[in-house]
Amino acid sequence: MTRLIHPIAGTLALALIAVFWLSTALSEAFGSVGAVTLVKAAIPWGLLLLIPALAAAGLSGRHLAGRGRVPLVMSKQRRMPIIAANGLLILIPCAFYLAAKAGAGQFDTRFVAVQRAELVAGAVNIALLSLNMRDGLRLRRGRV
């Protein structure tokens, strides 16, 4: 069962973060104030799905790894604390801050600065989760 949960949870987490990132970037670049407000209000609700998906991916990955010392597994494990810290310390607080600012119609310089930080941190997590997916697919194919 863990072999089924892990790729589904990991793929869902990566897809959600990519959707959050793309929605933000596109609404900021081409959308109206209303579109930006809608995206910023929706992202915290999306965290209700993202956080359990990341937890399931992390826990199932740890279970699958066991005590082995396979280099690809070790690479994935080294990335996970960065992904988690980035999410907990930057992305989640940014999501709630930006939702509150957008809801109040306050699109000031602080909003823009936090939005930029969120986009950078989101891009980092997309890159790291993509590398983990790549390595997971290599492991699955037996290319260790």
Side-chain angles (χ1 to χ4, degrees):
M1 187 63 139
T2 303
R3 290 190 188 279
L4 180 64
I5 292 171
H6 186 68
I8 291 171
T11 301
L12 177 60
L14 177 56
L16 286 168
I17 293 170
V19 166
F20 295 167
W21 196 93
L22 283 171
S23 298
T24 294
L26 292 174
S27 69
E28 288 285 340
F30 305 112
S32 63
V33 170
V36 172
T37 302
L38 180 65
V39 167
K40 295 290 103 187
I43 289 174
W45 289 104
L47 295 176
L48 294 173
L49 188 55
L50 176 61
I51 292 169
L54 284 168
L59 292 171
S60 60
R62 180 171 285 161
H63 182 264
L64 287 171
R67 296 192 184 272
R69 305 289 296 171
V70 177
L72 285 177
V73 172
M74 292 173 63
S75 291
K76 289 177 64 138
Q77 289 174 333
R78 280 192 299 271
R79 289 182 201 115
M80 286 310 296
I82 299 166
I83 293 165
N86 196 10
L88 291 171
L89 300 175
I90 300 171
L91 292 170
I92 291 173
C94 284
F96 285 104
Y97 177 81
L98 292 169
K101 292 284 276 186
Q106 297 173 347
F107 299 98
D108 53 15
T109 55
R110 285 188 180 147
F111 179 91
V112 173
V114 172
Q115 183 63 76
R116 286 182 182 157
E118 183 187 50
L119 286 168
V120 170
V124 168
N125 269 11
I126 290 169
L128 293 174
L129 286 166
S130 295
L131 290 171
N132 275 6
M133 179 180 272
R134 179 204 63 193
D135 290 348
L137 292 169
R138 287 180 178 169
L139 286 164
R140 189 175 209 169
R141 293 184 195 122
R143 294 185 209 161
V144 183

